[in-house]
Amino acid sequence: MLLLLPLSASAHVGSPDFYYDGYAGPYHLLVTVRPPAVIPGIAEIQIRVISTQLSRVEILPMRLVGQGAKLAPTPDVAERSGSDPQLFTGKLWLMSRGSWKVQINVEGPQGKGEAAVPIAAASAASLRMQKSLGILLAGLGLLLVVGLVGIIGAANRDAVLEPGVTPSPSQRRRGSIITAAAATVIVIVVVLGNFWWTADASHTAKLSYKLPHVQLSLAANVLQLSLQNPNDVNWRQYPSELEDLDRIRLTDLMEDHRHKLHLFLVRMPDMTSFWHLHPNQENGPEFFQVLPMLPAGHYRVFADIVHKTGFPETQVGEIDLPAAPQTTPLLGDDAGAAQLTASDKISQLSDGYRMVWERDSAPLKANQAIWFRFRIEDSKGLPATDLEDYMGMAGHAAFIRDDGRVFAHVHPAGSISMAAAELAQGEGTSDSSTSSKGMSAMNHAAASAEVTFPYGFPSPGDYHIFVQIKHAGRIETGSFIAHVAN
Ligand SMILES: [Cu+2]
């Protein structure tokens, strides 16, 4: 009866769905997984096969790590859409919190193939019961209690008499005593039931996922970050319900495309200053970042981490930055831009390069998986030929709603965590040839002048899309605006 809000659970902020672009054997798939807002709950899966027809698609849920990763349940057959023969849909139960994968087995004209899509499951905040429903249920409950007491009383007073005979005073007394005793017992049961109900509700509320807020402080131009773990304390109180591997710890971070922490800073509300940095770990949840020359202002902060269980989290924060006291060069994979001009089509890069969003005229809609395609052109307007890998991939994108309440860090393979994707491939039931094929497709190098990101906006509103690519040794940021209609 605790209805749950379809809020974001984890992984990204306000963007709970998982989008995946990858290969199952020879078949190119675009997969959308909508995890349930409540655990246990039903995840909805959509699989679109590109360019070929498949004869059969099977889906099954598996844990990402631990014993459960080795025990595959019987797969469900995904249903082919009546109107679109390349679209398959299915539903899967996710029985516990933590990191899961959706294993996909396909069969088609070129034989069989497998893919695994890592997802994260966590209950979001719970909602109180509606008042009207509460009043209705209380009324019905009262009717049951009164009826039960009356039946017990009548059974002990009138039921033993012949028809037409009135009960004697002693029978009446006996009936009254038993009625009173029954009423007392039933009221005690109702009161105990209420205790049980309240305890269970607060237990459920404690197990709902809380968005972690990273603690930020600034000393000169060094930003100090302290990751928080608001879910650990509450999740740990119920060890019987949570396998140990579902515990969230901050000492178990794994590298996700080369870094344990991907830090995004965006100046609000203009969003003209955007930075993607990689702080150094000091110890455990403490990190520090020497800031480059950021323009002063109020910044929204998003810190992406992945636990070694494959459970991704984004910690959020806000900070006011003064004008940088000294110039520190950007190092390694750190990149950003101080004065971006957002466009709905063409973003100017340095050296006369341009990034062009290849979009059609159709309005953007929420909850729809689409490919965001960006073409990089050189100063002559020709497709760029000098694109390089940036942290192992052709590009990195951040989708941020203008109020800062939606944030997703997306790659050419989708909005799944890349580190979790490696776990999903590594511990799967698939043979190594399919796995390696899947991975190479996932990490497809920056061979062309185009970079694509599969994603769907979670809600209507105005968004900024920041797209980062690398060419001629330099990391560039394109900035785009997108209006998502109601
Ligand atoms: Cu990235």
Side-chain angles (χ1 to χ4, degrees):
M1 284 157 84
L2 287 168
L3 307 171
L4 284 117
L5 283 168
L7 289 176
S8 97
S10 65
H12 299 294
V13 180
S15 186
D17 297 346
F18 293 88
Y19 297 91
Y20 173 84
D21 175 348
Y23 285 80
Y27 311 107
H28 188 187
L29 307 179
L30 176 62
V31 183
T32 306
V33 180
R34 296 188 204 290
V38 201
I39 305 296
I42 294 170
E44 286 177 35
I45 291 104
Q46 266 188 23
I47 300 161
R48 175 174 292 285
V49 56
I50 315 302
S51 74
T52 19
Q53 295 264 3
L54 292 176
S55 52
R56 186 180 170 87
V57 176
E58 289 179 348
I59 48 174
L60 58 152
M62 284 174 78
R63 297 312 303 258
L64 196 53
V65 292
Q67 277 304 314
K70 299 182 188 91
L71 306 168
T74 311
D76 283 4
V77 177
E79 217 172 286
R80 188 192 299 271
S81 152
S83 55
D84 182 350
Q86 311 216 157
L87 183 68
F88 291 81
T89 56
K91 291 179 196 297
L92 293 175
W93 273 96
L94 299 183
M95 297 307 294
S96 59
R97 297 160 191 80
S99 33
W100 288 78
K101 63 180 169 187
V102 175
Q103 178 80 31
I104 302 169
N105 303 332
V106 302
E107 248 180 83
Q110 291 156 267
K112 293 182 178 188
E114 290 184 0
V117 183
I119 58 167
S123 292
S126 50
L127 192 71
R128 299 210 58 86
M129 193 194 299
Q130 279 176 313
K131 251 214 167 92
S132 52
L133 181 65
I135 290 169
L136 178 71
L137 291 173
L140 291 171
L142 194 65
L143 190 71
L144 284 176
V145 167
V146 170
L148 193 56
V149 171
I151 287 167
I152 291 171
N156 287 284
R157 187 181 59 230
D158 306 314
V160 290
L161 300 174
E162 291 296 320
V165 180
T166 51
S168 67
S170 71
Q171 280 169 326
R172 275 179 207 279
R173 201 174 326 115
R174 184 181 130 83
S176 307
I177 291 167
I178 289 178
T179 303
T184 312
V185 169
I186 289 166
V187 166
I188 289 171
V189 167
V190 168
V191 168
L192 290 177
N194 185 48
F195 275 128
W196 167 77
W197 176 266
T198 311
D200 204 58
S202 81
H203 171 175
T204 305
K206 277 179 178 164
L207 287 173
S208 72
Y209 182 82
K210 285 163 201 72
L211 185 65
H213 291 255
V214 56
Q215 297 295 307
L216 302 163
S217 59
L218 192 67
N221 64 336
V222 179
L223 181 65
Q224 203 73 39
L225 301 104
S226 175
L227 298 175
Q228 303 294 305
N229 193 356
N231 297 294
D232 182 49
V233 174
N234 290 324
W235 285 25
R236 201 166 44 188
Q237 281 178 358
Y238 308 96
S240 60
E241 297 208 13
L242 295 166
E243 284 175 59
D244 200 41
L245 62 92
D246 290 329
R247 280 249 328 260
I248 294 183
R249 298 175 179 85
L250 287 175
T251 51
D252 69 348
L253 304 183
M254 63 191 277
E255 287 194 358
D256 186 2
H257 51 295
R258 306 225 292 243
H259 301 280
K260 278 190 178 173
L261 179 55
H262 290 263
L263 180 70
F264 295 86
L265 292 144
V266 58
R267 190 171 69 176
M268 303 302 276
D270 61 353
M271 297 174 105
T272 54
S273 171
F274 171 86
W275 302 83
H276 175 179
L277 310 171
H278 305 91
N280 294 303
Q281 192 169 25
E282 212 155 51
N283 74 74
E286 310 295 326
F287 286 77
F288 71 93
Q289 171 75 45
V290 180
L291 289 179
M293 264 278 267
L294 267 63
H298 183 73
Y299 282 81
R300 282 257 186 187
V301 177
F302 303 95
D304 267 2
I305 52 172
V306 183
H307 300 277
K308 73 164 185 270
T309 56
F311 192 84
E313 286 192 287
T314 299
Q315 305 221 340
V316 298
E318 281 177 75
I319 192 165
D320 286 309
L321 294 179
Q326 69 224 66
T327 314
T328 317
L330 284 164
L331 295 171
D333 294 328
D334 290 359
Q339 284 165 316
L340 289 164
T341 312
S343 152
D344 60 357
K345 183 92 184 126
I346 296 167
S347 184
Q348 202 65 44
L349 310 177
S350 58
D351 296 344
Y353 274 57
R354 308 192 310 166
M355 192 184 286
V356 182
W357 181 1
E358 300 175 311
R359 60 190 289 191
D360 51 28
S361 52
L364 298 164
K365 284 192 197 134
N367 298 312
Q368 209 172 54
I370 55 169
W371 270 293
F372 292 82
R373 298 173 195 279
F374 301 92
R375 188 176 67 245
I376 321 313
E377 292 178 350
D378 66 14
S379 54
K380 299 189 190 82
L382 298 168
T385 54
D386 58 353
L387 295 189
E388 298 167 22
D389 270 18
Y390 172 33
M391 291 185 280
M393 284 172 280
H396 303 254
F399 291 76
I400 309 175
R401 204 169 66 193
D402 286 9
D403 61 1
R405 288 175 176 273
V406 174
F407 168 85
H409 173 186
V410 183
H411 298 112
S415 67
I416 53 159
S417 146
M418 297 310 295
E422 277 167 39
L423 284 177
Q425 298 288 339
E427 297 204 19
T429 52
S430 57
D431 60 87
S432 58
S433 63
T434 16
S435 296
S436 58
K437 193 155 194 174
M439 280 317 287
S440 64
M442 195 179 298
N443 289 335
H444 58 78
S448 72
E450 193 186 72
V451 55
T452 64
F453 303 95
Y455 184 63
F457 294 106
S459 49
D462 288 305
Y463 288 78
H464 268 65
I465 309 171
F466 299 98
V467 180
Q468 296 193 300
I469 52 103
K470 193 170 180 179
H471 85 92
R474 190 151 62 200
I475 304 155
E476 301 270 6
T477 306
S479 172
F480 299 90
I481 41 174
H483 176 74
V484 182
N486 256 311

